[in-house]
């Protein structure tokens, strides 16, 4: 589909009843306030047109696409343009000196025909758009992600014609990520005329060391004085390519973001050739660099030492450093700690999926003392035990701005949880605490509960896979009422059982802002589902509920269905792998019409047959907001599938029904091939 960068302020709440996130609503309010100060431009606007996942746009909404409201919002709100809308955009937006984006995704091409999108717009029409825009002095962003090589080649040809006319300075962004096979030589030739380029994304293009070497030749000539963001991730650059690239980056004085993740730098080559030394050329000349991503590169301690001495310690403006999945040991963390002394502006540090152990945790703790502005600290999958957690907890009070702490999948246990709990009271800004997979047990939960109430800013708590049992769940849930901002709670895979479900239900009622609750694989059974249903009826703001893998059966589904109409904000309900049959599906189908906000229901891998599918189809036809009904791996035959198909065609919410891996008959082994993937 062709997306025109008319990233709109279109409000799904007005167009078809969908909800925006709080951040989106705030942006919409700001843009609408700006629009009220300027009169709307009268224009002949086409009628209803389909919008990405939000239904239809009316004429009044299309008028909001004009001049002052062109702004970067969220991709989910972009208009999917057809011929008429694209024509209107070209006619009425070229008079404005605003940013216009031409985007083409997932183009399918053949050797005999020119690429076309589903709207019938050919590549030549895109070039004509560029031609129209360039004469108006409009800055242009070009994005062609995950496209076939033929389309990318034609896009570059169109750029070449623009550059040949001396208009290449209008192109401010080029994004051709995930295209796998881009002609780097031709690309470099085109880029020479794009002196105003600010964003260049060439990730996942199989460039290799040779291709990056050619690009480095252009970068080193200083033809991109305004380049701010460069993404070359997943290109198999290797050590040699990295050396050539970073030797050329000294000419990019405005560069603020560099992504070289997943390039297999390896353990040799980076420092074997001094003239092409990866870090020596950048030494002292990377003061503007704010975001550096070197994750998934197998950086050894020796390479990390060069990285720290040559780059990081000179980046006074560095705000984000990502070094995840690099096999970094305690020795490497020591080098990092020395370098971070000069990075007082650092706000994000990601060392996940490394092997820190106690030695690394101790050195990291010493480094954090020099980074008072750290707001996000990711240490998941880092082999940190109770002793390491104790060392880190001692320095958490030195990070008063810490908002996100991720210690998931370590081995801190109940002892480490006790140390961590003592430090949390000195973290006044902590909002997200992730402790998944740490074997806290009931004792650890009790320790956490003793201090958790003092963290009044907490909005997300993840303690899944910790063997809490009913006792541990009761300890935690007893203090959740003291967290007035808690919006997301994950208690999955904790053997909560029907006994602990009562404590969870009481916490649901007390947490007035709880929007997401995950309770999958907790052996709730029908009795536990009934207790959750009792709390669900009083939880007015809950948006997402996951009860998969709890074997609630028909009885539990019926108890949940009775209260769903009271959940005015519930958007997503997941009850997969629960042994629900036709009776439970029928009870759910009977209330779908009264669920005003419910957009997605997941009933994967249950025991629903034709009768249950027919009942769901009848309810779906009356549901005002349903967009996805997932019924994979059930026992639905042709009769039920036909009813679902007819209901989907006439559904108010324009629903998609997923029925892959079903059968023509419950006892038949033949899948519905014509429905798989529908």
């Amino acid at each position: 589909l062709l997306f025109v960068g008319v990233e709109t302020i279109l409000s799904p709440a007005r167009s078809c009843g969908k909800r925006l996130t709080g951040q989106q609503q705030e942006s919409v309010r700001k843009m609408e306030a700006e629009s009220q100060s300027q009169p709307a431009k009268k224009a002949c606007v086409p009628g209803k047109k389909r919008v990405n996942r939000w239904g239809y746009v009316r004429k009044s909404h299309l008028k909001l696409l004009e001049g002052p409201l062109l702004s970067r919002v969220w991709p989910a709100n972009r208009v999917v343009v057809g011929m008429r809308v694209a024509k209107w955009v070209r006619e009425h937006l070229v008079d404005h000196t605003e940013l216009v984006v031409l985007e083409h995704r997932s183009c399918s091409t053949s050797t005999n025909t020119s690429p076309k999108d589903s709207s019938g717009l050919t590549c030549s029409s895109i070039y004509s758009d560029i031609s129209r825009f360039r004469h108006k002095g409009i800055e242009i962003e070009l994005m062609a992600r995950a496209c076939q090589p033929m389309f990318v080649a034609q896009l570059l040809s169109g750029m070449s014609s623009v550059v040949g006319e001396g208009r290449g300075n209008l192109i401010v962004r080029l994004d051709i990520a995930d295209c796998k096979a881009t002609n780097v030589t031709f690309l470099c030739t085109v880029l020479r005329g794009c002196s105003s380029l600010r964003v260049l994304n060439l990730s996942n293009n199989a460039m290799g060391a040779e291709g990056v070497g050619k690009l480095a030749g252009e970068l080193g000539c200083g033809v991109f004085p305004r380049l701010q963001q460069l993404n070359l991730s997943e290109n198999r650059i290797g050590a040699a390519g990295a050396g050539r690239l970073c030797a050329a980056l000294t000419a990019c004085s405005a560069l603020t973001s560099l992504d070289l993740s997943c390039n297999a730098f390896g353990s040799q080559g980076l420092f074997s050739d001094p003239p092409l030394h990866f870090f020596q050329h950048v030494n002292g000349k990377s003061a503007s660099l704010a975001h550096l991503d070197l994750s998934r590169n197998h950086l050894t301690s020796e390479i990390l030492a060069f990285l720290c001495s040559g780059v990081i310690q000179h980046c006074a403006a560095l705000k984000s450093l990502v070094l995840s999945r690099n096999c970094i040991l305690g020795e490497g963390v020591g080098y990092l700690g020395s370098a971070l002394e000069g990075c007082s502006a650092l706000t994000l540090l990601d060392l996940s999926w490394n092997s820190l152990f106690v030695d690394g945790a101790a050195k990291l703790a010493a480094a954090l003392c020099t980074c008072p502005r750290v707001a996000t600290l990711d240490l998941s999958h880092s082999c940190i035990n109770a002793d390491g957690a104790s060392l880190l907890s001692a320095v958490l009070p030195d990070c008063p701005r810490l908002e996100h702490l991720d210690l998931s999948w370590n081995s801190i246990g109940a002892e480490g949880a006790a140390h961590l709990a003592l430090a949390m009271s000195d973290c006044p800004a902590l909002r997200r605490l992730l402790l998944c997979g740490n074997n806290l047990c009931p004792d650890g939960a009790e320790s956490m509960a003793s201090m958790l109430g003092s963290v009044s800013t907490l909005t997300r708590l993840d303690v899944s896979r910790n063997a809490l049992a009913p006792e541990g769940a009761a300890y935690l849930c007893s203090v959740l009422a003291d967290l007035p901002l808690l919006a997301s709670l994950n208690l999955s895979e904790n053997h909560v059982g029907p006994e602990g479900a009562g404590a969870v239900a009481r916490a649901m009622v007390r947490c007035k802002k709880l929007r997401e609750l995950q309770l999958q694989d907790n052996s709730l059974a029908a009795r536990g589902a009934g207790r959750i249903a009792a709390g669900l009826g009083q939880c007015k703001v809950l948006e997402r509920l996951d009860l998969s893998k709890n074997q609630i059966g028909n009885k539990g589904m019926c108890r949940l269905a009775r209260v769903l109409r009271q959940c005015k904000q519930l958007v997503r309900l997941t009850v997969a792998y629960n042994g629900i049959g036709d009776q439970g599906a029928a009870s759910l189908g009977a209330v779908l019409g009264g669920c005003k906000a419910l957009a997605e229901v997941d009933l994967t891998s249950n025991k629903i047959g034709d009768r249950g599918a027919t009942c769901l189809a009848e309810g779906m036809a009356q549901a005002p907001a349903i967009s996805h009904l997932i019924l994979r791996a059930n026992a639905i035959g042709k009769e039920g599938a036909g009813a679902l198909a007819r209901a989907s065609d006439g559904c108010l919410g324009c629903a998609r029904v997923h029925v892959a891996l079903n059968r023509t008959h419950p006892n038949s082994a033949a899948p519905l091939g014509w429905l798989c993937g529908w």
Side-chain angles (χ1 to χ4, degrees):
L1 295 178
L2 172 68
F3 289 77
V4 176
V6 286
E7 280 119 300
T8 86
I9 69 162
L10 171 66
S11 171
R14 292 197 301 266
S15 59
C16 63
K18 301 289 192 254
R19 289 179 56 82
L20 291 171
T21 65
Q23 190 177 10
Q24 288 174 323
Q25 290 175 350
E26 180 63 22
S27 293
V28 168
R29 282 194 293 269
K30 290 181 180 179
M31 296 173 69
E32 287 179 329
E34 180 183 355
S35 67
Q36 292 175 359
S37 63
Q38 301 186 21
K41 182 178 179 180
K42 295 183 178 180
C44 180
V45 185
K48 294 181 178 179
K49 287 294 174 184
R50 208 64 171 277
V51 173
N52 185 23
R53 88 179 272 198
W54 298 119
Y56 291 91
V57 189
R58 301 184 185 278
K59 292 182 180 180
S60 58
H61 297 151
L62 282 173
K63 291 179 181 178
L64 297 177
L65 301 178
E66 298 187 65
L69 299 182
L70 285 180
S71 178
R72 301 201 64 79
V73 192
W74 285 263
N77 290 342
R78 288 176 179 165
V79 173
V80 180
V81 301
M83 289 293 289
R84 294 175 61 197
V85 179
K87 180 179 178 182
W88 179 84
V89 169
R90 287 195 296 268
E91 289 176 353
H92 296 92
L93 294 186
V94 292
D95 294 330
H96 299 283
T97 57
E98 302 288 343
L99 181 66
V100 174
V101 183
L102 297 174
E103 180 175 359
H104 198 98
R105 287 174 179 255
S106 304
C107 310
S108 58
T109 65
S110 64
T111 56
N112 298 323
T113 59
S114 60
K116 295 183 178 181
D117 68 2
S118 60
S119 303
L121 295 174
T122 63
C123 294
S124 60
S125 67
I126 299 176
Y127 305 149
S128 66
D129 288 341
I130 298 176
S131 178
R132 290 176 65 91
F133 293 145
R134 72 172 186 259
H135 292 301
K136 300 292 182 179
I138 298 177
E139 293 181 334
I140 299 173
E141 293 190 1
L142 295 173
M143 291 179 277
R145 298 180 181 177
C147 293
Q148 296 292 334
M150 180 182 294
F151 178 83
V152 176
Q154 294 193 28
L155 179 62
L156 293 177
S157 298
M159 288 181 60
S160 179
S161 64
V162 174
V163 171
E165 297 177 6
R167 299 282 183 171
N169 61 330
L170 297 179
I171 300 175
V172 297
R173 174 172 179 168
L174 177 62
D175 187 341
I176 49 175
D178 305 315
C179 295
K180 302 294 171 63
T182 299
N183 188 329
V184 180
T185 303
F186 187 25
L187 172 66
C188 292
T189 303
V190 174
L191 289 179
R192 288 171 191 161
C194 302
S195 59
S196 297
L197 197 66
R198 294 196 291 264
V199 179
L200 179 60
N201 186 355
L202 299 174
S203 63
N204 196 14
N205 270 291
M207 298 176 67
E210 182 179 356
V212 169
K214 295 177 182 179
L215 179 63
E218 301 300 327
L219 292 172
C221 295
V223 295
F224 306 118
R226 301 181 183 179
L227 187 64
Q228 298 174 359
Q229 299 179 33
L230 178 61
N231 188 341
L232 293 173
S233 59
E234 299 183 74
N235 271 300
R236 299 195 295 270
I237 292 175
R244 295 171 188 171
L245 174 66
C246 290
L249 289 180
T250 55
C252 303
S253 57
L255 191 68
T256 60
S257 178
L258 177 61
D259 188 346
L260 295 176
S261 59
C262 198
N263 272 300
F265 290 170
S267 59
Q268 58 183 356
L270 279 178
F271 45 89
S272 60
D273 189 1
L276 294 179
H277 195 288
F278 179 24
F279 308 116
Q280 182 176 342
H281 285 277
V282 190
N283 187 9
K285 300 181 180 180
S286 53
S288 64
L289 197 63
H291 306 282
L292 179 61
D293 189 344
L294 291 171
S295 58
R296 296 180 292 171
N297 274 304
H298 306 290
L299 299 179
T300 62
S301 297
E302 190 174 7
I303 296 177
L304 192 59
F306 282 93
L307 168 67
C308 293
S309 61
V311 179
I312 295 179
Q313 71 178 11
H314 299 285
C315 296
L318 190 65
K319 296 181 178 179
S320 173
L321 179 60
V322 182
L323 294 171
S324 60
R325 297 177 183 264
N326 272 306
C327 306
I328 297 174
L329 301 174
E331 182 183 2
V333 179
Y335 297 132
L336 180 62
S338 300
L340 289 180
E341 293 179 0
C343 301
S344 58
L346 190 69
T347 60
L348 184 150
L349 179 60
D350 186 349
L351 287 172
S352 59
W353 292 88
N354 286 294
S355 301
L356 304 188
F357 297 106
V358 178
D359 183 29
K363 294 177 179 178
L364 177 61
L368 289 176
C369 295
T370 63
C371 302
R373 298 186 181 182
V374 168
T376 300
L377 182 60
D378 190 344
L379 298 175
S380 58
H381 297 270
S382 292
C383 303
I384 297 174
N385 59 12
D387 294 333
S390 174
L391 293 169
L392 288 172
S393 299
V395 298
L396 287 183
D398 296 327
C399 303
R401 301 187 183 183
L402 187 64
E403 296 182 0
H404 179 102
L405 178 60
D406 190 349
L407 288 170
S408 301
W409 298 106
N410 286 289
S411 305
I412 67 174
E415 182 182 352
H419 293 296
L420 187 62
L422 294 175
M424 284 194 304
S425 58
D426 295 320
C427 297
L430 190 63
R431 300 183 60 190
R432 295 175 293 275
L433 179 61
L434 282 64
L435 297 172
C436 171
N438 272 291
N439 195 30
L440 300 184
C441 301
D443 292 340
E446 185 178 9
S447 300
M448 294 294 297
S450 63
M451 298 299 293
L452 199 60
S454 62
V455 191
S456 59
T457 56
L458 203 65
T459 61
R460 180 184 175 190
L461 177 62
D462 186 348
V463 287
S464 57
R465 300 191 181 190
N466 274 298
L468 299 183
E471 298 84 4
Y475 287 135
L476 285 175
C477 291
S478 64
V479 298
L480 293 184
D482 299 327
L483 304 176
L485 301 180
L486 188 66
S488 175
L489 176 63
N490 191 345
L491 288 169
S492 302
E493 300 184 48
N494 274 306
H495 312 295
V496 171
E499 297 80 9
V504 176
R506 290 189 293 273
M508 292 170 61
V509 178
R510 295 171 185 165
C511 297
K512 302 300 182 182
K513 294 190 176 183
L514 188 65
R515 297 184 180 276
E516 180 179 12
L517 177 61
Q518 298 183 52
L519 289 170
Q520 55 264 52
D521 201 3
N522 268 303
S523 305
L524 298 183
R527 187 157 58 98
R531 293 179 176 177
I532 295 297
L536 184 62
Q538 303 178 58
C539 194
K540 303 300 182 182
V541 298
L542 193 69
E543 295 179 356
R544 294 176 294 277
L545 176 63
D546 191 341
L547 294 174
S548 56
K549 298 183 180 180
N550 276 295
Q551 292 303 312
I552 64 175
N554 287 326
K555 187 179 294 186
M557 187 68 251
C558 292
R559 292 175 178 175
L560 286 171
R562 293 191 191 107
V563 299
L564 285 182
R565 287 178 176 171
Q566 303 174 33
C567 303
K568 303 298 183 183
Q569 306 295 330
L570 191 64
V571 175
R572 179 173 180 174
L573 175 65
T574 304
V575 284
Y577 299 92
N578 270 304
I580 299 170
D582 289 341
Q583 181 184 355
S587 64
L588 176 60
V591 300
L592 280 181
C595 300
K596 304 300 182 183
L598 192 61
E600 182 174 332
V601 180
D602 190 346
L603 288 159
T604 299
S605 194
N606 281 290
K607 301 177 181 180
I608 300 172
D610 285 339
R611 186 168 66 87
T614 302
C615 295
L616 287 171
E618 293 173 356
M620 185 177 65
Q622 305 298 324
I626 195 76
S627 61
H628 288 271
L629 180 59
I630 304 173
L631 290 164
R632 295 189 183 98
N634 279 280
I636 301 172
K638 291 184 177 180
E639 181 183 349
L644 290 168
R646 290 188 295 273
S648 177
D649 290 338
C651 183
L652 297 175
C654 203
R656 291 174 58 85
V657 184
H658 305 260
V659 289
L661 303 179
N662 275 276
R663 304 173 185 275
T664 55
H665 188 274
N667 297 324
S668 171
L672 283 174
W674 59 279
L675 282 176
C676 288
W678 171 39

